[in-house]
Amino acid sequence: MSKKDIKAAESKADAKEEKLHRIRHSMAHVMAEAVLQMFPDGKVTIGPAIENGFYYDFDLPRSLKEEDLEDITLRMQEIIKKGLSFERRVITREDALERFADQPYKVELINELPEGEEISIYSQGDFTDLCRGPHVESTSKLNPQSFKLLSIAGAYWRGDEKRPMLQRIYGTAWTNPKDLRLYLQQLEELEKRDHRKVGRELDLFSTHEEAGPGLVYWHPKGARIRVAIEDFWREEHRKNGYEFLFTPHVGKSWLWETSGHLDFYAEGMYPEMIMDKANYYAKPMNCPFHIMIYKTNKHSYRELPFRWAELGTVYRYEKSGTLHGLLRVRGFTQDDAHIFCTPEQVEDEILEVLRFSLHMLRSFGFKDIQAYLSTMPEKAVGDPDQWKLAEESLRKAIEAEGLEYEVDEGGGAFYGPKIDLKIKDALGRSWQLSTVQFDFNEPERFNMTYTDKSGAEKRPYMVHRALLGSLERFFGVLIEHYGGAFPVWLAPTQIMVIPVAAAFEEYADTVYRQLKEAGFRVDLDDSDDRLNAKIRNAQQDKIPYMLILGEKEAEAGGVSVRFRNGKQENGIPLNDFIARTNSVISDKKEL
């Protein structure tokens, strides 16, 4: 495709996105009008268009029920059919305060607007909102059969737990009924794969609000998967020249003052603990501890690079309203690593890190990967030559791997440029996982040095690197990507041994023990259930292999295999099955 064709395609996509944004923003206003018809004394807040839809937050005299959504939908359809124009007007601050005098949330927003900023309102029918727009020309441009109200949720005003709890109505809107239908089908699939639902069904993990929100409990089956991930992670890091570290969970306040976390990140940290007349904090990051290990001794350029990795559990105080299963938690384990190297080593190290990242992501079944390069912002620490070298090494690595990438000019952190890698899952959703981040700040703050060839002291380059992000979030992504039907190497139970009757339980136990000794995660169903029920239970648990053992299998010393996908093979010698399964596991195949 030529550059001209690419530009034309991008322009067309942008126009489509803009059209959908206007439709969704307009639909939010129509919904607000319908809600105020039902609750004339209701208070409105904000109603933006969002990805795939819209929402609006309300302060209402009673709690909404699911059946209210049907009433609101019918009212919205009537409003749309009237063909009401969306009319924009610019008004003064005084007019705005007078117009919205009975809407305290709007008054708060108006009072926060900078002096001299233009204030615009949009009206349709009996509803007027403080709004920048844009909108469609009139409700006749909205299709009454191309939207659906999806859910009701609670939301604190301005996201602040100390402010009023509001009621949020979510909806989706499209240009035509077909697109709506396709999106609702996708939502159905998303619901089936929701990691919280699948986690309960397969007994993988739990969270307990009463014992501490945002903290994850790994159940035995979930822990089996975690161990498989960690074992693979450690072996691959060993092959790639990393050494492993273990560091404390708390540190004195000076550590976080020096690193800058208490200046820039205090709200995201757990409160201080006072012990022995000193202030301690639970660690939100592992990097200061790795730096402390570096500073234990003086270092020569001959020793570098250091590649130090840790599966380090950290704690961050996320607001309760943002917590979400495994995807947003307060305690999590980072697959963290830091590289300390000389300027001459930077380019090779970054290339190896990127190759390693891609290898790890592809091993877990993610093939569609895109890179995002963030460069030097206006306010930054570090020498511009350092930034130039770092950015160039990141860019060269991406291009050497032939990855598609986008550049966010000026979008880097103040302390260094970075690469983010985003994968697409089985449903086409993007997830940001791997990050390769330069840091010119902490080596300076902690006065890190090494001795170069001439004997002069120099600052090492420091690279933060996470391949999977955190084990908790990565596990949530994996669950939804596979819908709980994990590839054999990750499945919590790889094989279920099922005797067809009590007479064959002795042979089934022999097979079970052999498979156990061969290193497989295997269970034996010797319950009194009927054969069909045993098979059904194993299928519901998404177990890859079910070994059905009866008279023929016992006499031949073999197995009949029923696969998770419904396929079946009979009369396989047990040693052949073991060899085949080992091959599937070592190649990271699904079945």
Side-chain angles (χ1 to χ4, degrees):
M1 187 180 284
S2 69
K3 287 185 178 179
K4 185 178 178 181
D5 290 337
I6 292 172
K7 194 170 181 181
E10 288 175 347
S11 178
K12 189 175 180 181
D14 289 345
K16 183 180 179 182
E17 198 59 39
E18 172 64 17
K19 182 179 179 181
L20 278 171
H21 179 85
R22 287 173 181 262
I23 287 171
R24 289 164 180 163
H25 195 175
S26 303
M27 202 66 83
H29 281 223
V30 170
M31 179 173 72
E33 182 177 359
V35 170
L36 289 183
Q37 286 179 0
M38 291 176 63
F39 304 99
D41 295 329
K43 308 303 177 189
V44 294
T45 63
I46 58 171
I50 56 175
E51 185 180 9
N52 296 322
F54 58 92
Y55 72 79
Y56 214 113
D57 288 346
F58 301 95
D59 190 345
L60 303 174
R62 69 165 172 84
S63 296
L64 291 168
K65 304 170 187 173
E66 286 299 318
E67 50 265 34
D68 289 324
L69 296 184
E70 187 176 341
D71 189 356
I72 296 167
T73 298
L74 292 173
R75 291 173 183 269
M76 289 175 67
Q77 288 172 337
E78 288 302 313
I79 293 168
I80 290 169
K81 288 173 185 175
K82 290 178 182 178
L84 304 171
S85 296
F86 284 91
E87 297 177 356
R88 181 179 186 270
R89 286 177 56 205
V90 175
I91 61 175
T92 65
R93 183 182 298 268
E94 292 71 25
D95 286 345
L97 290 171
E98 184 179 344
R99 178 178 288 272
F100 294 103
D102 62 342
Q103 293 288 341
Y105 301 101
K106 296 294 181 184
V107 169
E108 182 178 327
L109 293 173
I110 293 165
N111 284 329
E112 289 181 359
L113 291 172
E115 198 64 42
E117 182 167 324
E118 182 179 86
I119 299 175
S120 60
I121 59 174
Y122 275 84
S123 301
Q124 95 273 351
D126 297 326
F127 179 72
T128 297
D129 199 6
L130 181 72
C131 181
R132 290 192 180 94
H135 290 278
V136 297
E137 295 169 9
S138 80
T139 60
S140 62
K141 300 293 184 182
L142 305 175
N143 189 322
Q145 303 306 319
S146 297
F147 79 94
K148 183 176 177 61
L149 302 186
L150 300 172
S151 61
I152 304 162
Y156 289 107
W157 171 234
R158 313 298 285 270
D160 186 343
E161 297 172 26
K162 297 174 183 175
R163 305 297 298 276
M165 172 64 81
L166 307 171
Q167 297 186 75
R168 177 174 294 179
I169 303 177
Y170 283 103
T172 187
W174 300 83
T175 54
N176 58 70
K178 180 185 175 185
D179 285 351
L180 172 64
R181 187 171 65 254
L182 291 173
Y183 178 68
L184 293 178
Q185 287 171 357
Q186 185 187 38
L187 282 186
E188 253 183 75
E189 187 60 33
L190 285 171
E191 191 175 342
K192 285 182 198 172
R193 291 171 178 252
D194 187 307
H195 72 280
R196 295 164 298 180
K197 177 175 180 288
V198 175
R200 284 192 301 273
E201 292 170 348
L202 299 185
D203 194 23
L204 301 176
F205 73 93
S206 60
T207 57
H208 299 272
E209 188 81 15
E210 69 279 14
L215 303 173
V216 179
Y217 293 69
W218 295 74
H219 295 200
K221 289 182 179 178
R224 292 181 195 175
I225 300 174
R226 174 166 174 162
V227 168
I229 293 170
E230 289 189 5
D231 286 349
F232 175 67
W233 185 91
R234 287 192 178 93
E235 179 60 21
E236 293 304 305
H237 277 73
R238 186 190 62 76
K239 289 178 187 175
N240 281 271
Y242 285 79
E243 296 284 354
F244 300 116
L245 306 180
F246 297 90
T247 59
H249 287 242
V250 297
K252 283 187 176 181
S253 59
W254 75 263
L255 203 62
W256 312 111
E257 289 162 0
T258 305
S259 69
H261 286 97
L262 279 177
D263 290 334
F264 302 107
Y265 198 69
E267 288 185 2
M269 295 173 67
Y270 268 71
E272 65 183 352
M273 299 170 278
I274 300 176
M275 297 177 288
D276 302 326
K277 298 182 181 179
N279 297 339
Y280 287 77
Y281 287 89
K283 65 175 177 179
M285 311 275 185
N286 299 301
C287 35
F289 293 106
H290 292 196
I291 292 171
M292 293 303 296
I293 293 173
Y294 181 94
K295 286 177 66 65
T296 303
N297 297 299
K298 290 186 177 295
H299 300 289
S300 160
Y301 72 97
R302 296 180 186 279
E303 299 172 70
L304 303 181
F306 290 136
R307 303 184 192 110
W308 290 344
E310 178 179 15
L311 289 171
T313 300
V314 299
Y315 301 90
R316 298 181 188 174
Y317 182 73
E318 302 284 357
K319 291 183 178 179
S320 59
T322 66
L323 299 176
H324 181 71
L326 295 170
L327 303 180
R328 194 73 176 267
V329 294
R330 288 179 173 171
F332 55 93
T333 302
Q334 286 184 309
D335 75 310
D336 210 356
H338 295 95
I339 297 169
F340 303 104
C341 63
T342 70
E344 295 77 19
Q345 295 166 334
V346 161
E347 196 168 305
D348 288 342
E349 288 300 310
I350 293 300
L351 182 56
E352 285 307 311
V353 166
L354 187 59
R355 285 176 178 165
F356 189 18
S357 299
L358 294 171
H359 165 68
M360 292 291 284
L361 295 177
R362 287 165 180 160
S363 296
F364 285 96
F366 300 114
K367 308 301 181 188
D368 191 339
I369 304 170
Q370 185 161 7
Y372 296 81
L373 172 61
S374 300
T375 62
M376 186 175 181
E378 197 173 316
K379 293 182 179 179
V381 299
D383 188 295
D385 288 339
Q386 286 182 311
W387 277 83
K388 186 176 179 181
L389 176 61
E391 288 174 5
E392 195 57 29
S393 67
L394 293 173
R395 192 187 303 270
K396 281 183 178 178
I398 294 171
E399 290 173 354
E401 289 302 301
L403 281 178
E404 287 186 16
Y405 72 101
E406 293 180 14
V407 179
D408 181 7
E409 295 290 355
F414 75 93
Y415 51 84
K418 67 173 179 171
I419 294 173
D420 290 320
L421 295 181
K422 291 186 180 181
I423 59 94
K424 281 194 177 176
D425 68 8
L427 297 179
R429 296 173 300 171
S430 288
W431 299 91
Q432 195 271 307
L433 295 180
S434 302
T435 297
V436 183
Q437 169 80 63
F438 275 90
D439 189 341
F440 302 127
N441 184 50
E442 291 195 86
E444 190 72 31
R445 282 176 170 264
F446 282 94
N447 192 29
M448 298 175 69
T449 62
Y450 72 93
T451 306
D452 71 5
K453 290 180 182 179
S454 68
E457 286 197 338
K458 296 288 181 67
R459 291 262 184 266
Y461 274 68
M462 179 178 181
V463 178
H464 303 260
R465 190 240 60 190
L467 302 184
L468 309 180
S470 81
L471 294 187
E472 286 75 9
R473 182 171 178 271
F474 184 69
F475 188 35
V477 173
L478 276 181
I479 292 171
E480 297 196 0
H481 178 62
Y482 288 110
F486 299 102
V488 183
W489 76 282
L490 287 174
T493 301
Q494 296 166 322
I495 304 163
M496 178 64 78
V497 177
I498 303 175
V500 300
F504 309 107
E505 286 181 2
E506 185 177 343
Y507 177 61
D509 186 62
T510 300
V511 170
Y512 166 76
R513 291 178 184 278
Q514 281 187 250
L515 294 171
K516 197 87 170 170
E517 286 174 11
F520 299 115
R521 295 189 290 276
V522 55
D523 286 337
L524 169 64
D525 188 346
D526 55 2
S527 67
D528 293 332
D529 290 341
R530 296 170 65 89
L531 177 61
N532 285 344
K534 291 181 180 183
I535 292 172
R536 185 171 61 252
N537 291 339
Q539 286 177 325
Q540 286 175 346
D541 285 342
K542 304 182 190 296
I543 295 170
Y545 302 123
M546 290 150 270
L547 303 190
I548 314 300
L549 306 181
E551 185 175 358
K552 289 182 180 179
E553 289 77 21
E555 288 177 354
V559 296
S560 290
V561 185
R562 184 183 180 92
F563 298 87
R564 182 171 57 199
N565 59 15
K567 182 182 170 186
Q568 185 152 333
E569 290 185 32
N570 299 323
I572 302 173
L574 180 57
N575 286 338
D576 287 358
F577 171 75
I578 289 173
R580 282 171 54 178
T581 304
N582 274 325
S583 176
V584 167
I585 290 170
S586 64
D587 291 341
K588 305 288 186 291
K589 294 178 182 175
E590 291 196 30
L591 275 179

